[in-house]
Amino acid sequence: MTKVLYLLNFAGKAGTERYVETLVNYLSADGLVQPFFAYHEGGLLVERLEEMGVPCRRVEMRRRFDYKAARDLAALCTEWGIDLVHCHYLREHYTALLAKKYNPHIRVVYTNHFVLANDAVTRFTNRILDKRQDQMIAVCNKGKEQLIANGWSGERIQVIFNAVDLDAWAGERSQSTLRAELGLDEGRFVMLCASRFADDKGHRYLIDSVKRLTQRTDKPFTLVLAGDGPLLEPTKAQVKQLALEDCVKFIGFRKDIKNLYKGSDLYVNASRHEALSFLIIEAMAAGLPVIATDMGGNSDIVNDEAGCGLLVEYDNPDSMAAAMERFLEDPSFTDACRENARRTIEAKFEVHKMARATFGVYEKALHDGFQGV
């Protein structure tokens, strides 16, 4: 069994943490991987992995070129007999690559969770460290293109979409308590957005879109906003300023995300940056059609072939409002997208396929990887 150390700077509660937990769960359940976990800053993921019996250890990683962290990581890999380190952001990625100097046995796999251009200095250091890299994973096609543009070797980059377990998201509307909690009747059209309240998540223009929607349709609807973050209070103030309190509801950070999906009719993504959103594919697995911005890897999920929703232009309230209106006014279109959503997940974003493909990358790194220097 391959011993894999999952390395993450901040072990919080976002999509990357969900990715790590998914791999740990399914690869260990299939007897392919014995998982271990190391982190710099603890959070909810540490709690969850410890509950699963995964050994966890803190490794201080203060910056990208932190040689003390690299030595500490190499020593931890020796202590635990680690074969491969799977990391997810540049700080821990650089740390793992530098650790090969002190423990040449380990191999390194890096998953890129963003579609973001690096600056010139980072592109230069990427090219230098590329000779130590074994394998890389991009979670969407545009992510692979960006990795190459950022200085990494394309022949060692595999595209493996994020994925979910369809069985975990099965269920009926009647199982949800969301509508009763908010006092919403069954006939009301409910849209859900569960993004963190941060600048790149697009809440400002999403609220502007809702205002435009109220001017375009008489159909009753509610937008439910789940999550927390630094821009929560400014967003609440914007809703009050636009007199949208009757149709926009804030419910805070929630762990019962399936309950929220099952009580909704549509999932809305308004983000500026996406690689391949777990929230989108979870919502689809739960049977929801999707509106998503045409950014990053969203077009790998929502497109004409999939027929599961609509792409809109980022920061364009008219584009978003028109898409919302389409779902409100055309029930047959909504039903068709709902049917296609689960079909799309089964075909392209199913968790067992993703886990096996990722393990294939581990095997390639172990058998064909580059020796650290």
Side-chain angles (χ1 to χ4, degrees):
M1 187 182 297
T2 304
K3 290 187 174 183
V4 177
L5 174 64
Y6 295 91
L7 183 64
L8 193 58
N9 179 50
F10 175 57
K13 56 190 179 186
T16 302
E17 290 86 341
R18 202 166 306 178
Y19 175 91
V20 171
E21 186 177 357
T22 298
L23 288 178
V24 167
N25 187 10
Y26 288 89
L27 288 176
S28 60
D30 288 344
L32 298 174
V33 160
Q34 183 179 355
F36 299 78
F37 185 64
Y39 60 94
H40 172 70
E41 184 176 349
L44 182 60
L45 179 61
V46 178
E47 298 174 18
R48 288 183 171 177
L49 293 181
E50 286 179 338
E51 289 173 359
M52 295 167 63
V54 176
C56 298
R57 184 83 59 84
R58 181 177 183 269
V59 175
E60 185 175 16
M61 296 177 284
R62 296 163 295 178
R63 55 187 176 272
R64 292 182 193 174
F65 286 97
D66 188 337
Y67 283 88
K68 181 182 184 302
R71 289 192 297 271
D72 291 345
L73 177 62
L76 181 60
C77 288
T78 299
E79 176 186 342
W80 281 345
I82 298 299
D83 300 304
L84 182 144
V85 178
H86 188 168
C87 42
H88 306 274
Y89 292 97
L90 277 181
R91 182 187 302 191
E92 57 265 37
H93 185 203
Y94 277 32
T95 301
L97 293 176
L98 293 174
K100 296 178 81 170
K101 176 180 179 180
Y102 308 103
N103 184 342
H105 169 75
I106 59 174
R107 296 293 178 261
V108 176
V109 170
Y110 170 63
T111 294
N112 177 44
H113 297 275
F114 292 103
V115 185
L116 294 174
N118 292 155
D119 58 35
V121 172
T122 302
R123 292 196 301 271
F124 175 73
T125 56
N126 288 347
R127 287 192 292 270
I128 292 175
L129 288 175
D130 184 58
K131 61 186 176 182
R132 298 177 184 236
Q133 184 64 47
D134 297 300
Q135 288 290 312
M136 307 183 83
I137 296 171
V139 299
C140 64
N141 287 301
K142 289 184 180 178
K144 178 176 181 178
E145 295 171 7
Q146 190 62 62
L147 280 172
I148 295 171
N150 286 343
W152 301 99
S153 299
E155 66 270 16
R156 297 203 292 275
I157 304 172
Q158 318 297 321
V159 176
I160 302 176
F161 296 141
N162 292 338
V164 293
D165 189 335
L166 275 165
D167 291 340
W169 301 101
E172 302 298 329
R173 166 71 61 79
S174 59
Q175 298 172 323
S176 175
T177 61
L178 176 64
R179 290 172 182 258
E181 174 186 336
L182 297 177
L184 304 176
D185 62 52
E186 286 300 316
R188 194 170 187 89
F189 193 87
V190 176
M191 301 179 285
L192 172 68
C193 177
S195 297
R196 184 171 181 267
F197 286 85
D199 178 66
D200 64 326
K201 297 304 182 181
H203 289 93
R204 178 191 55 78
Y205 99 87
L206 177 59
I207 299 306
D208 286 341
S209 304
V210 171
K211 183 64 175 179
R212 283 168 169 75
L213 182 61
T214 62
Q215 298 162 355
R216 300 175 66 121
T217 183
D218 294 326
K219 294 288 183 68
F221 70 88
T222 295
L223 172 65
V224 176
L225 297 177
D228 54 20
L231 296 185
L232 174 58
E233 293 307 318
T235 306
K236 288 182 176 180
Q238 182 188 7
V239 167
K240 184 175 182 179
Q241 180 184 16
L242 295 177
L244 295 173
E245 294 98 328
D246 288 343
C247 57
V248 178
K249 303 297 181 183
F250 296 86
I251 60 173
F253 173 72
R254 300 285 289 258
K255 294 183 180 180
D256 60 335
I257 189 68
K258 180 178 177 179
N259 183 42
L260 307 186
Y261 292 145
K262 291 302 179 182
S264 303
D265 298 295
L266 175 70
Y267 188 78
V268 180
N269 169 283
S271 296
R272 180 170 74 242
H273 300 301
E274 288 292 358
L276 203 137
S277 168
F278 269 103
L279 288 167
I280 290 177
I281 58 176
E282 286 175 354
M284 289 169 56
L288 292 185
V290 171
I291 295 174
T293 53
D294 193 4
M295 305 295 285
N298 284 350
S299 60
D300 284 329
I301 310 171
V302 182
N303 49 57
D304 291 340
E305 179 184 359
C308 60
L310 294 172
L311 290 177
V312 298
E313 183 180 353
Y314 174 76
D315 202 18
N316 184 334
D318 289 322
S319 177
M320 177 67 79
M324 291 174 167
E325 182 185 16
R326 175 80 186 274
F327 282 102
L328 272 169
E329 300 285 353
D330 191 345
S332 62
F333 174 74
T334 303
D335 290 342
C337 290
R338 182 179 296 113
E339 290 295 321
N340 290 333
R342 284 182 60 85
R343 188 178 301 116
T344 299
I345 297 301
E346 185 174 10
K348 295 179 62 178
F349 307 101
E350 196 279 323
V351 70
H352 294 93
K353 297 176 184 177
M354 173 261 207
R356 289 283 178 170
T358 303
F359 185 72
V361 173
Y362 292 173
E363 290 186 308
K364 190 171 182 63
L366 291 167
H367 297 150
D368 304 327
F370 283 60
Q371 182 74 28
V373 295

